[in-house]
């Protein structure tokens, strides 16, 4: 890979790692969302504020998937592995996409009516999604030609 691609992937990996510990939705951090909720959906009758109040062990939370994505992107930056970068990007985008699909599925009307307050404080989403999209674009840069 090109040197610039390595540098961009390093910055993106750090952004995804930092974003996995900050808020992705109003009052909700990735370490408050259970993997079972991503798989099965949020329980019926919950309010959106209850997502941030869950007590979840770290290795069973959404944050572990985002950190795995960040680690794979950092490995790709350090060792030049495009496969690791692609797997990290797919895991990260899949995790964020599933989370927002489940939130939209359960709390669609609440978000539409209160979007000015609910969609605030999304630093983690901006860092994570921005880092993943930039890493995706960096992986699309052609390889360096080998000189014979």
């Amino acid at each position: 890979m090109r040197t610039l691609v390595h540098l961009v992937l390093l910055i993106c990996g750090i952004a995804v790692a930092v974003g996995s510990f900050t808020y992705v939705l109003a009052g909700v951090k990735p370490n408050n969302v259970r993997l079972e909720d991503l798989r099965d959906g949020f329980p019926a009758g919950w309010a959106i504020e209850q997502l941030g109040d869950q007590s979840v062990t770290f290795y069973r939370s959404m944050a572990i998937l985002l950190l795995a994505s960040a680690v794979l992107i950092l490995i790709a930056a350090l060792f030049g592995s495009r496969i690791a970068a692609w797997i990290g990007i797919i895991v990260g985008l899949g995790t964020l996409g599933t989370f927002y699909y489940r939130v939209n599925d359960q709390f669609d009307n609440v978000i539409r009516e209160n979007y000015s307050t609910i969609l605030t404080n999304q630093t983690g989403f901006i860092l994570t999604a921005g880092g993943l999209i930039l890493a995706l674009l960096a992986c699309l840069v052609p390889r360096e030609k080998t000189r014979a």
Side-chain angles (χ1 to χ4, degrees):
M1 283 197 271
R2 299 174 188 264
T3 306
L4 181 64
V5 173
H6 286 278
L7 182 63
V8 169
L9 285 176
L10 181 69
I11 293 169
C12 290
I14 293 170
V16 171
V18 170
S20 66
F21 290 107
T22 57
Y23 295 101
V24 291
L25 195 63
V28 180
K29 290 184 179 182
N31 55 357
N32 295 337
V33 179
R34 297 181 310 159
L35 291 176
E36 293 84 10
D37 290 341
L38 289 180
R39 184 188 66 209
D40 302 330
F42 298 111
W46 271 32
I48 199 163
E49 293 83 18
Q50 288 177 298
L51 294 179
D53 295 336
Q54 294 187 80
S55 177
V56 182
T57 56
F58 181 73
Y59 65 90
R60 299 187 76 194
S61 69
M62 183 174 104
I64 196 72
L65 291 176
L66 293 176
L67 277 178
S69 172
V71 166
L72 286 170
I73 293 171
L74 287 172
I75 287 172
L78 294 175
F79 299 113
S81 171
R82 284 183 178 261
I83 300 294
W86 280 108
I87 292 172
I89 292 166
I90 290 169
V91 167
L93 288 176
T95 303
L96 278 182
T98 303
F99 172 71
Y100 277 97
Y101 172 77
R102 294 296 185 189
V103 166
N104 186 45
D105 186 43
Q106 181 75 24
F107 307 109
D108 182 35
N109 292 333
V110 176
I111 292 174
R112 287 178 194 248
E113 293 169 2
N114 303 316
Y115 68 90
S116 62
T117 57
I118 289 178
L119 297 180
T120 59
N121 198 8
Q122 288 185 313
T123 309
F125 174 72
I126 293 168
L127 280 171
T128 306
L132 290 169
I133 291 170
L134 195 58
L136 175 73
L137 292 175
C139 285
L140 293 175
V141 172
R143 293 181 187 215
E144 220 171 359
K145 293 182 180 180
T146 57
R147 296 184 181 143

